[in-house]
Amino acid sequence: MAAQNQMECEEEKAATFSPDISIQASEPLLDTHIVNGERDETATAPASPTTNDCDGNASGSSYRTPGIGPVLPLEEGGAETEAKVQERENGESPLDLEQLDQHHEMKETNEEKLHKIANELLLTERAYVNRLDLLDQVFYCKLLEEANRGSFPAEMVNKIFSNISSINAFHSKFLLPELEKRMQEWETTPRIGDILQKLAPFLKMYGEYVKGFDNAMELVKNMTERIPQFKSLVEEIQKQKICGSLTLQHHMLEPVQRIPRYEMLLKDYLRKLPPDSLDWNDAKKSLEIISTAASHSNSAIRKMENLKKLLEIYEMLGEEEDIVNPSNELIKEGQILKLAARNTSAQERYLFLFNNMLLYCVPRFSLVGSKFTVRTRVGIDGMKIVETQNEEYPHTFQVSGKERTLELQASSAQDKEEWIKALQETIDAFHQRHETFRNAIAKDNDIHSEVSTAELGKRAPRWIRDNEVTMCMKCKESFNALTRRRHHCRACGYVVCWKCSDYKAQLEYDGGKLNKVCKDCYQIISGFTESEEKKRKGILEIESAEVSGNSVVCSFLQYMEKSKPWQKAWCVIPKQDPLVLYMYGAPQDVRAQATIPLLGYVVDDMPRSADLPHSFKLTQSKSVHSFAADSEELKHKWLKVILLAVTGETPDGPNEHPGTLDDHPEPKKKSEC
């Protein structure tokens, strides 16, 4: 009867509420003991001082949730349902309890996450300090020690490592100890924003390191290639276990990557930090300072990735193409077919499109070494793209440049469209950059009143600052730390490269003293014409391509003077000067490194050693020049010409000694159909 009365009371209660309300109220009861998606068998409702009767009277409570009524049937599991109803009647709303539990759980989770972020910051900081110590105390100190022995300039080592010692001192003596101390006190002082806010301004010292990063990477590359002592010492250090099989360049990138890492951790920290936290303002200020420094680091990281890609391509091309330059950027690469000019056959080719040139390559079928041979380098300046129609070969287009015109066939209509789009956008961007450059120069000239032609040498110019330009203001070639450094013309004030500033003229404003000037100013001040200047400057200034294209014989030879080490040289005996041997560093150099007047020399064609079986020697008084060819045939070709030249004779006809660029596979001018 008690149970029947209870049911009747419940039915009366249910009648006083709408069905919708009853359903909504009943749903939360199903999850009363669900925590994080799993049922908690041990959960019990807290005891409540309230007592309820059938008539709906309650003591100690001004609100009652509606009864369960007909929503939960009692036919099955009646005892369990009654227990739930009793819990509901005797205590707080299970929905309120669940929300309270979730609140506590979320609060604990966020605190744990904040601790994990702070701990990750500490752990990564320890690892980072170890990497800084490797750069500072191992690489830098040992290379500087070797430089002080005279193996290479100490100035170069200092430029490579910049202010790495100061960065290492800041992190090892200040930031890391502060973080370690705070993590030990985390239970009483759970915050890191105050530490970062205090020390973040010191991260500005990274600006110097990041600014010189490009030049530092280039210096490492050049010194590794040119200075054996530098290369061997770096490789010796890289073999040590502490380096973890990574190169010096990889370790040098670590400081550049560290600032963005701080930014990422701090952003995550702020997302978990309640806005009313004592650490909020300090953490936010720290993020603002670090984000500014990170923007510079991100730019350096992108440049580093670009340089790594350029190095990969450089190796694929047999390390013969000078493409590893921070100003070069790879736009697109891929296979393509080239339609031959003399017939309708299609030949497999490979293209590398950069922001300033297109490399047209032939695949080289080799298991080791380079993968491609560069046939033509087509400059973006003056390039035009034309869609062509070929009934037999679909998806064709034409690339027309100053150096060469190519008719190419893509693999599909989409591939053709992508190539044309990439090429055209590269051309447009190239012209826009140069137009902006010209406008900037014109604007600068308007503001600073450029010296007029009539006043050149008579009035001191305003010097263009180094940081206002990235390329030579005459030949437009990009500057770099070693092979193309910045120089100022003392007549017009322009920033130019060594090639464009290798002139001297007397300047009135400097008391008639000889000063370094650019080519244009030299011709105006001195009155020399182009042809007269070429005669005046002498035979060293004749371009390699000019003499190689009209030579008696030319090819690469190994060369050694006296006891100096062997080195590779591009050697030419031109038809217009057949008694002189010109030596260049490469087939396209604009200036000879040395010349040897052959008349009067004694020729010794006996090999110097088994390592160089195709060698010969030229001797005159105390001058001794040793050469070595790649083959016996090439050696005899050179000796045939030299033996005539040393006696003052010249070849009778143009075809008597037909040595050309085709005699050797390395020259750049070799033609191809």
Side-chain angles (χ1 to χ4, degrees):
M1 289 181 65
Q4 184 177 358
N5 290 337
Q6 179 69 23
M7 289 180 63
E8 290 175 355
C9 289
E10 295 295 342
E11 289 173 359
E12 290 177 7
K13 292 176 187 176
T16 62
F17 298 97
S18 66
D20 292 340
I21 295 176
S22 299
I23 293 172
Q24 293 173 359
S26 66
E27 290 176 351
L29 291 177
L30 298 175
D31 294 329
T32 301
H33 302 303
I34 299 296
V35 178
N36 288 340
E38 297 182 2
R39 181 173 295 279
D40 184 1
E41 301 295 343
T42 61
T44 56
S48 173
T50 58
T51 55
N52 304 307
D53 56 22
C54 182
D55 297 327
N57 299 324
S59 60
S61 175
S62 60
Y63 173 76
R64 267 178 77 178
T65 54
I68 203 66
V71 180
L72 293 177
L74 296 177
E75 285 78 13
E76 296 180 4
E80 181 182 352
T81 304
E82 284 186 15
K84 289 183 180 180
V85 172
Q86 192 64 35
E87 281 183 11
R88 180 75 174 271
E89 294 295 324
N90 292 338
E92 297 182 48
S93 165
L95 179 62
D96 296 338
L97 290 173
E98 185 180 36
Q99 289 175 342
L100 186 62
D101 290 342
Q102 289 177 351
H103 175 73
H104 286 307
E105 183 181 331
M106 186 179 298
K107 184 179 179 182
E108 291 172 1
T109 302
N110 279 341
E111 288 176 353
E112 290 174 358
K113 288 180 178 179
L114 289 171
H115 180 267
K116 286 179 181 178
I117 294 169
N119 195 50
E120 182 180 354
L121 177 60
L122 174 61
L123 295 177
T124 57
E125 186 69 14
R126 283 176 183 161
Y128 177 53
V129 167
N130 289 336
R131 188 68 57 86
L132 289 176
D133 201 59
L134 171 64
L135 283 170
D136 180 24
Q137 299 299 317
V138 182
F139 277 108
Y140 178 45
C141 288
K142 290 190 175 181
L143 286 170
L144 194 60
E145 184 180 337
E146 182 66 28
N148 291 331
R149 295 192 185 106
S151 302
F152 39 83
E155 179 188 359
M156 296 299 183
V157 179
N158 290 325
K159 285 183 177 180
I160 289 173
F161 293 96
S162 186
N163 60 336
I164 195 68
S165 298
S166 299
I167 293 174
N168 185 24
F170 165 71
H171 286 273
S172 60
K173 296 180 181 178
F174 295 94
L175 184 54
L176 180 58
E178 290 271 7
L179 289 174
E180 287 178 333
K181 182 181 178 183
R182 178 53 52 86
M183 293 309 296
Q184 293 172 0
E185 304 169 346
W186 185 262
E187 290 187 4
T188 57
T189 316
R191 56 188 302 190
I192 58 173
D194 57 333
I195 293 176
L196 296 177
Q197 197 273 335
K198 178 177 68 174
L199 297 177
F202 290 95
L203 296 178
K204 292 178 181 178
M205 70 173 65
Y206 276 83
E208 181 180 342
Y209 186 90
V210 173
K211 185 179 178 181
F213 183 72
D214 288 344
N215 288 337
M217 298 300 292
E218 190 174 354
L219 275 173
V220 171
K221 172 182 171 293
N222 288 325
M223 293 181 72
T224 302
E225 292 175 351
R226 301 180 182 184
I227 304 175
Q229 297 94 328
F230 181 90
K231 180 181 179 181
S232 61
L233 182 54
V234 169
E235 289 178 346
E236 180 186 336
I237 298 173
Q238 288 174 170
K239 291 177 183 177
Q240 296 180 16
K241 186 177 180 180
I242 190 174
C243 284
S245 301
L246 295 177
T247 64
L248 169 60
Q249 289 93 327
H250 282 91
H251 294 298
M252 288 172 62
L253 184 60
E254 190 78 8
V256 179
Q257 295 174 321
R258 186 57 182 165
I259 301 296
R261 180 71 172 171
Y262 288 137
E263 182 184 34
M264 183 187 70
L265 287 171
L266 202 48
K267 282 181 178 178
D268 197 21
Y269 182 78
L270 272 168
R271 278 194 292 268
K272 306 295 187 299
L273 195 66
D276 58 351
S277 170
L278 293 175
D279 207 22
W280 177 266
N281 288 333
D282 288 337
K284 190 175 180 182
K285 289 178 183 176
S286 303
L287 180 59
E288 291 172 359
I289 298 170
I290 291 173
S291 295
T292 302
S295 62
H296 300 295
S297 295
N298 288 330
S299 175
I301 290 172
R302 286 192 295 272
K303 288 180 180 179
M304 178 58 184
E305 291 171 349
N306 179 57
L307 279 174
K308 287 166 68 176
K309 182 63 179 175
L310 292 177
L311 281 169
E312 291 175 7
I313 298 173
Y314 177 70
E315 293 172 357
M316 291 166 66
L317 301 178
E319 301 184 356
E320 295 179 6
E321 291 294 322
D322 185 18
I323 62 169
V324 184
N325 190 306
S327 63
N328 291 342
E329 179 184 354
L330 180 68
I331 306 298
K332 183 176 173 63
E333 64 174 294
Q335 290 182 342
I336 205 154
L337 294 177
K338 184 256 179 186
L339 301 185
R342 294 177 180 174
N343 52 53
T344 55
S345 64
Q347 302 157 339
E348 184 181 339
R349 296 291 183 261
Y350 202 90
L351 300 181
F352 291 98
L353 175 62
F354 296 89
N355 58 330
N356 55 358
M357 62 184 163
L358 175 69
L359 296 184
Y360 168 72
C361 307
V362 178
R364 181 182 291 180
F365 300 100
S366 174
L367 296 176
V368 294
S370 58
K371 296 182 179 180
F372 303 101
T373 300
V374 177
R375 276 292 164 82
T376 307
R377 180 191 289 226
V378 184
I380 298 298
D381 190 14
M383 181 183 288
K384 293 181 181 179
I385 310 300
V386 180
E387 288 194 59
T388 55
Q389 300 297 328
N390 191 311
E391 294 181 1
E392 187 175 354
Y393 295 91
H395 320 310
T396 59
F397 61 97
Q398 180 178 287
V399 177
S400 178
K402 293 179 180 179
E403 297 81 1
R404 186 166 180 182
T405 297
L406 305 167
E407 189 170 4
L408 306 171
Q409 180 188 8
S411 59
S412 64
Q414 181 181 355
D415 189 32
K416 171 185 174 180
E417 183 180 342
E418 289 175 355
W419 270 112
I420 291 176
K421 181 181 179 184
L423 285 160
Q424 193 58 56
E425 288 179 351
T426 303
I427 293 170
D428 295 341
F430 179 88
H431 290 308
Q432 185 177 358
R433 283 197 308 272
H434 282 71
E435 185 65 30
T436 303
F437 176 77
R438 284 191 292 267
N439 291 340
I441 294 299
K443 183 178 179 182
D444 188 75
N445 289 339
D446 291 340
I447 295 173
H448 299 288
S449 64
E450 179 183 311
V451 177
S452 65
T453 302
E455 294 177 310
L456 279 175
K458 299 177 182 179
R459 182 164 65 88
R462 177 257 177 189
W463 280 24
I464 306 296
R465 286 187 288 272
D466 286 355
N467 60 5
E468 292 179 0
V469 295
T470 60
M471 63 182 73
C472 173
M473 297 172 70
K474 293 296 180 180
C475 68
K476 308 299 188 294
E477 289 290 333
S478 299
F479 291 120
N480 57 56
L482 283 182
T483 60
R484 200 172 291 274
R485 302 181 68 181
R486 291 170 168 81
H487 300 272
H488 277 91
C489 171
R490 268 63 171 180
C492 64
Y494 277 21
V495 184
V496 291
C497 64
W498 69 267
K499 186 172 69 172
C500 295
S501 65
D502 195 20
Y503 301 83
K504 287 190 175 181
Q506 292 180 330
L507 304 181
E508 283 188 32
Y509 77 82
D510 196 23
K513 293 179 182 177
L514 284 174
N515 282 270
K516 185 187 292 288
V517 296
C518 67
K519 180 179 179 180
D520 294 341
C521 291
Y522 174 79
Q523 291 180 355
I524 293 172
I525 295 171
S526 65
F528 278 99
T529 62
E530 188 82 23
S531 58
E532 290 173 333
E533 171 59 16
K534 184 171 289 187
K535 291 178 183 177
R536 186 198 70 83
K537 294 194 73 176
I539 58 177
L540 286 179
E541 296 303 315
I542 300 176
E543 295 187 12
S544 173
E546 181 181 334
V547 294
S548 299
N550 189 28
S551 63
V552 179
V553 62
C554 63
S555 74
F556 276 107
L557 293 175
Q558 293 292 332
Y559 170 70
M560 181 180 73
E561 182 181 5
K562 295 182 179 179
S563 59
K564 294 180 180 178
W566 287 91
Q567 58 182 353
K568 196 175 185 180
W570 177 250
C571 300
V572 184
I573 297 181
K575 288 181 180 179
Q576 69 269 26
D577 200 2
L579 302 182
V580 178
L581 172 61
Y582 289 71
M583 288 189 293
Y584 296 86
Q588 300 297 318
D589 280 0
V590 297
R591 180 187 176 98
Q593 294 179 346
T595 60
I596 302 176
L598 297 172
L599 185 62
Y601 271 88
V602 177
V603 181
D604 178 6
D605 62 351
M606 294 299 292
R608 289 176 57 83
S609 67
D611 295 335
L612 297 167
H614 314 301
S615 62
F616 58 93
K617 184 167 61 174
L618 301 178
T619 308
Q620 187 183 67
S621 185
K622 294 183 179 180
S623 297
V624 180
H625 304 280
S626 300
F627 296 89
D630 290 342
S631 66
E632 193 66 20
E633 180 185 357
L634 184 59
K635 171 185 172 180
H636 284 303
K637 182 178 289 186
W638 274 96
L639 287 177
K640 192 174 181 181
V641 178
I642 291 174
L643 286 170
L644 288 172
V646 296
T647 61
E649 298 182 38
T650 58
D652 295 334
N655 297 321
E656 185 173 340
H657 304 285
T660 66
L661 289 168
D662 293 333
D663 293 331
H664 202 280
E666 295 196 58
K668 312 285 177 85
K669 289 275 187 178
K670 187 173 180 180
S671 61
E672 179 264 352
C673 295

